[in-house]
Amino acid sequence: VTALLARGLSPKKYDLHLALITQTADAPELASSPFPPWVTVHSLGAQRVRSSALPLLRVLRKLRPQLVLSSMFHLNFLVLVLRPFLRFPVRTMIRQNGTASSALAGLPRYNRFLYRLLYRRADCVLCQSAAMARDLAENFAVLENRLSVLPNPIDFDAIGSTKPAPPEVWPDSG
């Protein structure tokens, strides 16, 4: 989703940067990167999101972006926690990639508290559906004027160019 959005933004108007928390810029997964070449990649080299706070803070202070977009709930938490430490004005846009109430089933209770506390601080919370936005407003007190619905984009060209696997790839009825 982020790659599709990046490809749709003009490099003449936007200076795009991607911070990789756990992967390095030369990771095999990025060898055939869906990101356009005008996106600058920053490898933070952390083992987990929680250990990336200082490297992420350093990159953000160096770049001084006007907008930070995050799209994983635990990274969203980190970005919103770090925001007061940036020492410059920055807008935060976070992408919620699932219905929060459902996603919290089986997770520690403090996650619900963090949603309520932190998501209110975001300038915008992108939701894939109206139901996801409603869930955040009703169950986590996120103001409706900070919620926007943006369904996942679909890359029809990529889908159309994909050839189905030959039938022998699936020999049984699974």
Side-chain angles (χ1 to χ4, degrees), residues 77-78 80-81 113-122:
F77 291 171
L78 179 61
L80 294 169
V81 165
F113 171 74
L114 289 173
Y115 266 101
R116 284 184 83 71
L117 176 72
L118 296 173
Y119 269 47
R120 289 185 252 190
R121 296 180 182 180

Side-chain angles (χ1 to χ4, degrees), residues 48-173:
R48 302 182 64 119
V49 168
R50 65 179 165 222
S51 60
S52 68
L54 289 177
L56 181 58
L57 186 60
R58 277 190 220 102
V59 166
L60 292 174
R61 283 182 173 173
K62 178 183 172 190
L63 295 174
R64 299 178 63 87
Q66 294 176 349
L67 174 77
V68 173
L69 168 65
S70 171
S71 64
M72 296 182 339
F73 85 92
H74 46 301
L75 184 55
N76 294 346
F77 291 171
L78 179 61
V79 165
L80 294 169
V81 165
L82 291 178
R83 187 177 181 182
F85 300 100
L86 293 178
R87 299 189 206 140
F88 60 89
V90 61
R91 294 181 51 83
T92 52
M93 181 179 291
I94 58 175
R95 181 177 164 270
Q96 179 61 31
N97 58 3
T99 305
S101 294
S102 298
L104 290 173
L107 292 178
R109 294 176 60 105
Y110 64 82
N111 284 294
R112 180 172 286 280
F113 171 74
L114 289 173
Y115 266 101
R116 284 184 83 71
L117 176 72
L118 296 173
Y119 269 47
R120 289 185 252 190
R121 296 180 182 180
D123 292 299
C124 179
V125 180
L126 294 175
C127 300
Q128 294 168 319
S129 68
M132 289 170 61
R134 196 170 38 257
D135 178 60
L136 287 171
E138 293 173 1
N139 298 309
F140 301 97
V142 178
L143 297 174
E144 288 187 26
N145 66 350
R146 294 190 180 211
L147 296 167
S148 293
V149 175
L150 179 63
N152 279 341
I154 299 172
D155 186 346
F156 288 103
D157 293 334
I159 292 170
S161 68
T162 304
K163 294 180 183 175
E168 62 271 8
V169 173
W170 301 290
D172 49 26
S173 62

Side-chain angles (χ1 to χ4, degrees), residues 12-66:
K12 293 177 183 171
K13 186 173 181 181
Y14 300 101
D15 184 18
L16 299 176
H17 294 260
L18 173 67
L20 300 174
I21 302 298
T22 58
Q23 293 177 317
T24 60
D26 59 354
E29 306 87 63
L30 293 176
S32 60
S33 174
F35 287 92
W38 61 84
V39 175
T40 304
V41 177
H42 303 270
S43 300
L44 302 183
Q47 295 296 313
R48 302 182 64 119
V49 168
R50 65 179 165 222
S51 60
S52 68
L54 289 177
L56 181 58
L57 186 60
R58 277 190 220 102
V59 166
L60 292 174
R61 283 182 173 173
K62 178 183 172 190
L63 295 174
R64 299 178 63 87
Q66 294 176 349

